[in-house]
Amino acid sequence: MSAFPRMLRGDIAERLLRDLGEDVARTPGLKEDLLPARTAPFSKDGKLYGLDSDTPLIVHYYQQAVSYKNGY
């Protein structure tokens, strides 16, 4: 991603990259799943030119009995 913002300068993006907006709209539920904070670095003038590939999934495991014992 470090070099991608350079692609958004001037008119480079619209000349070299493809807007992914139609693809996102065609895929059921995808638009709702994409966080604006994660798509903003890949967007210009309302067009989406890339998708983040490094969004970590965080899962928390807990012991229910211990949680209840401690008031959670």
Side-chain angles (χ1 to χ4, degrees):
M1 178 177 147
S2 62
F4 196 84
R6 287 185 280 187
M7 296 293 290
L8 299 179
R9 293 181 188 160
D11 66 341
I12 297 173
E14 53 189 51
R15 288 189 297 124
L16 296 178
L17 302 175
R18 182 173 176 271
D19 179 16
L20 300 175
E22 288 183 21
D23 297 312
V24 169
R26 265 196 308 257
T27 305
L30 181 57
K31 184 173 182 162
E32 295 77 23
D33 287 345
L34 296 174
L35 299 172
R38 299 302 278 194
T39 58
F42 303 98
S43 301
K44 181 178 181 183
D45 299 329
K47 296 180 180 179
L48 179 63
Y49 292 108
L51 294 171
D52 193 355
S53 63
D54 187 27
T55 305
L57 176 65
I58 298 172
V59 178
H60 294 277
Y61 293 95
Y62 68 99
Q63 291 182 335
Q64 192 173 29
V66 173
S67 294
Y68 287 150
K69 179 181 170 186
N70 291 297
Y72 295 103

